[in-house]
Amino acid sequence: MDRSDVFGRPLVNRPNSGAWAVMAFAILWGYGAYDRNFNPEWTGLGWNPGSDVGANIRTYRYAARLARDGQSFYGVAPPGLGDWAVYLYPPVTVSVYYPFIALEWLTGYWVIVALNALAGVVAAAAIVRFIDRENRRLGWIDVVLIVGLLLVSPFTFGTIYYGNINLLVALAFVAGFLWLEDDRPALAGAAFGLAALFKLFPALVGAWLLRRGRWRSIASATAVGIGGLLAGVLLYGVEPTVTFFSEVVPNRAETANFVGGYPADGTFYVSVQRPLSNVLWGVYPNAPPELLMPLALVVAAGVLYVFYRNVTTLQERLISIFATMVVTVTLFPALQWYLVLLFFPMVPLWYVWEGPGRDLFLAGGAVMFVNERPGALVDAARDLGVPSVLEFLLVNVASFATVPLYGVATMLLACSMATYGLGIDGVIEKLRAASSRH
């Protein structure tokens, strides 16, 4: 055995400098977010994280207390947090947070952090195992970077800081997709159904199940979803479920906030509705708000159509899954923290990709991890005193979409290059062939 081989895995098996660079960049950017927001005092072993730390678990815990006491748990924020900190999920899910009532909120916060960290490590291990079995055995450098990405990326930071369950949802997706590849459709459907029960928008993964004709998965996911809703009715009565579907769900679309085009200093949404709002009201200033969601659905359907045509090879399936997850995260107004759901299949694609587009896919990933608010970029440019022309361009670029969304769009472009053989060399060759015919 080679000295570099530790516990059956070499330090480096196949060099993959591009993927290493992107993951190292993401980890460094994420570390900066942790350092700025938690404000650790390394020498005194103290911290000063600010008033919003654990905001999500504090909201979940408060909603659970209200539910236990027979009170309405929708539209009510816990003391000390803004009006934005309200419960947004189906009634049955609040029962999961009952144990946190018995804990001080800070203790509960560290419990949810530990659960997310465990979920991140398990998801990373599952991704590593998946890549290993595709005859691309990873070295320890790859393994450490993948684990670091899952735990320290700028998008993971949001889960850890606010104490939500995004890494647990990401693990459910990883499990679902891997079980689907392993021909365990019932388990896969249950995993997807559970994720959708807690966050609702993951139900869009049903498009992939339909494309693959996985009817047992669809049945399993539907059973989990409907069963959860019925359990909520049994536990809390009809009224909370009616409130959820009549008030909570419609308000999450926030269409009114996009009318006229979304500003650079608005909420850090990675939704495709952001650029579409600028296009729609830029072209048609009097467009009714009701047009925005149908337009977003048309764009989403177009993306899925492009990548659902060929799903024979592993790479084609991973690209199709990536397109599915992009649509899932960006169709509705969603914060950048949900981009952790793209880690599978994004990371495996860094290792199995063959053909044109790989370098562009990696570059898009690096851009995606630049987790900076558009308004902050504009302010920084103004502070630097950039020329008015550049400031005008930056304001328009920043208003049109967030930096992570530009990165995601770049990765989709790379996926189209791989799917349709549109590499630079191929394009040049086709142009030469066309000119020779004339």
Side-chain angles (χ1 to χ4, degrees):
M1 180 179 292
D2 191 282
R3 289 184 178 180
S4 65
D5 197 310
V6 182
F7 302 117
R9 188 182 295 277
L11 181 64
V12 176
N13 192 10
R14 301 182 182 182
N16 195 340
S17 56
W20 295 348
V22 173
M23 286 189 281
F25 174 75
I27 291 169
L28 288 173
W29 197 285
Y31 171 79
Y34 280 92
D35 189 55
R36 288 191 306 273
N37 290 276
F38 279 105
N39 297 313
E41 299 172 7
W42 299 113
T43 55
L45 298 179
W47 69 323
N48 180 26
S51 60
D52 285 342
V53 69
N56 288 133
I57 189 58
R58 288 156 68 184
T59 301
Y60 305 157
R61 177 176 175 271
Y62 189 64
R65 177 179 293 172
L66 292 174
R68 182 199 61 183
D69 295 340
Q71 301 178 47
S72 173
F73 49 90
Y74 287 122
V76 184
L81 292 176
D83 293 340
W84 54 270
V86 294
Y87 201 73
L88 300 172
Y89 312 111
V92 69
T93 60
V94 78
S95 305
V96 173
Y97 302 106
Y98 275 13
F100 290 89
I101 299 174
L103 305 172
E104 292 293 333
W105 80 260
L106 189 57
T107 303
Y109 166 73
W110 287 117
V111 170
I112 204 73
V113 166
L115 290 174
N116 274 290
L118 178 61
V121 171
V122 173
I127 291 172
V128 168
R129 180 175 177 272
F130 175 77
I131 299 170
D132 278 347
R133 75 182 189 186
E134 297 302 325
N135 295 320
R136 290 170 173 83
R137 186 162 180 78
L138 301 180
W140 278 113
I141 288 180
D142 301 280
V143 173
V144 169
L145 286 172
I146 291 172
V147 173
L149 180 73
L150 267 291
L151 296 182
V152 195
S153 81
F155 307 126
T156 306
F157 156 75
T159 292
I160 301 301
Y161 183 81
Y162 292 106
N164 58 48
I165 60 170
N166 289 345
L167 278 177
L168 293 163
V169 174
L171 176 59
F173 270 108
V174 172
F177 285 123
L178 294 183
W179 279 331
L180 209 59
E181 283 290 316
D182 291 341
D183 198 25
R184 303 169 76 179
L187 283 175
F192 293 136
L194 191 62
L197 191 61
F198 275 86
K199 293 291 186 178
L200 194 62
F201 67 85
L204 291 171
V205 78
W208 176 243
L209 300 179
L210 285 170
R211 172 60 183 88
R212 297 296 307 277
R214 299 292 185 144
W215 306 111
R216 288 179 62 189
S217 295
I218 293 171
S220 177
T222 303
V224 170
I226 293 178
L229 294 176
L230 291 176
V233 172
L234 291 174
L235 288 171
Y236 304 108
V238 175
E239 185 176 348
T241 298
V242 172
T243 300
F244 175 72
F245 283 106
S246 64
E247 298 180 18
V248 177
V249 174
N251 289 338
R252 294 195 72 179
E254 299 187 35
T255 303
N257 295 332
F258 290 87
V259 174
Y262 209 74
D265 59 353
T267 303
F268 197 163
Y269 287 135
V270 293
S271 172
V272 71
Q273 292 188 38
R274 184 172 193 141
L276 289 178
S277 70
N278 287 281
V279 172
L280 177 60
W281 280 285
V283 174
Y284 183 15
N286 296 320
E290 293 77 15
L291 281 180
L292 184 58
M293 180 53 74
L295 183 59
L297 287 169
V298 168
V299 171
V303 169
L304 295 183
Y305 175 78
V306 166
F307 296 109
Y308 275 16
R309 296 177 66 185
N310 301 310
V311 293
T312 304
T313 68
L314 175 64
Q315 181 171 318
E316 288 170 344
R317 291 195 298 277
L318 288 175
I319 286 175
S320 298
I321 293 171
F322 180 76
T324 302
M325 296 311 300
V326 167
V327 167
T328 297
V329 172
T330 64
L331 181 59
F332 300 101
L335 296 172
Q336 72 274 30
W337 317 127
Y338 289 113
L339 291 173
V340 296
L341 302 182
L342 301 186
F343 289 174
F344 186 94
M346 183 178 68
V347 175
L349 277 169
W350 290 341
Y351 288 91
V352 307
W353 194 297
E354 295 179 355
R358 182 178 182 275
D359 290 341
L360 185 63
F361 189 80
L362 286 166
V367 172
M368 184 188 75
F369 286 115
V370 180
N371 186 38
E372 190 59 74
R373 294 177 177 274
L377 294 174
V378 173
D379 291 341
R382 287 170 176 164
D383 291 341
L384 290 172
V386 299
S388 56
V389 173
L390 289 178
E391 181 182 328
F392 173 78
L393 289 173
L394 181 59
V395 168
N396 281 275
V397 169
S399 297
F400 190 74
T402 58
V403 178
L405 191 58
Y406 283 117
V408 169
T410 301
M411 286 190 282
L412 284 178
L413 176 60
C415 289
S416 68
M417 292 171 62
T419 301
Y420 297 99
L422 298 178
I424 299 299
D425 293 340
V427 170
I428 293 175
E429 186 63 32
K430 289 179 181 179
L431 290 174
R432 286 175 177 172
S435 62
S436 66
R437 288 197 295 268
H438 296 284

